[in-house]
Amino acid sequence: SPPPSAVAGPASPPPVPPSPPTVPSSRVDDPVQLVTRANELARDGMPLTARDVYERVIRDYPEHPVRAGALFGLGQLQADPAGPLRDYRVAYLTFGRVFAEHPRSRWEAEARVWRGILNELLARDDEAQRLRAQLQKLRRIEVDLDKSR
């Protein structure tokens, strides 16, 4: 008697897994949608991914007006005191790029406010660092005076 597979006919092909839902390429390549998505990621506690999306818009859409919003969002991530990207000096420069590269954008006034606040913060940080160095120097002098007595 013939084997069972010969009687049943050819084996049916394995089932095809469902393909993942696709995002229309026009949406993926739309810088406005990208900045909206980056804002959502930042709000939802994913600053590193948000940074990557903002940087993509900044890099890939140099002439698009929404680039100012990407720079602004990136500056906010860099200025977040609790965030992993915190770097006040870099944030100061990023906010400066908003109004230098995109004058009259809707983000210009807020970027200037952020920059002013960061300028004050950086000045105080610099002063605190200078005072700490001075204090260390005075402590060394005190130790040297104690040794000479």
Side-chain angles (χ1 to χ4, degrees), residues 20-113:
T22 58
V23 177
S25 64
S26 61
R27 184 162 189 259
V28 170
D29 294 334
D30 177 13
V32 174
Q33 291 297 323
L34 288 170
V35 170
T36 299
R37 180 67 183 132
N39 292 341
E40 292 166 354
L41 290 164
R43 183 194 64 227
D44 295 343
M46 294 183 271
L48 300 176
T49 308
R51 176 208 51 206
D52 294 343
V53 177
Y54 287 136
E55 287 179 344
R56 175 181 169 197
V57 172
I58 293 164
R59 180 189 64 243
D60 294 349
Y61 301 94
E63 303 302 319
H64 198 286
V66 79
R67 186 173 180 270
L71 282 165
F72 186 84
L74 181 61
Q76 285 185 310
L77 292 175
Q78 296 162 340
D80 181 355
L85 299 170
R86 186 189 83 203
D87 186 331
Y88 298 139
R89 291 186 194 286
V90 173
Y92 177 86
L93 296 172
T94 300
F95 285 121
R97 289 180 64 191
V98 172
F99 54 83
E101 297 175 18
H102 300 278
R104 297 179 305 280
S105 78
R106 72 185 198 111
W107 301 107
E108 180 183 8
E110 269 189 87
R112 287 185 188 278
V113 170

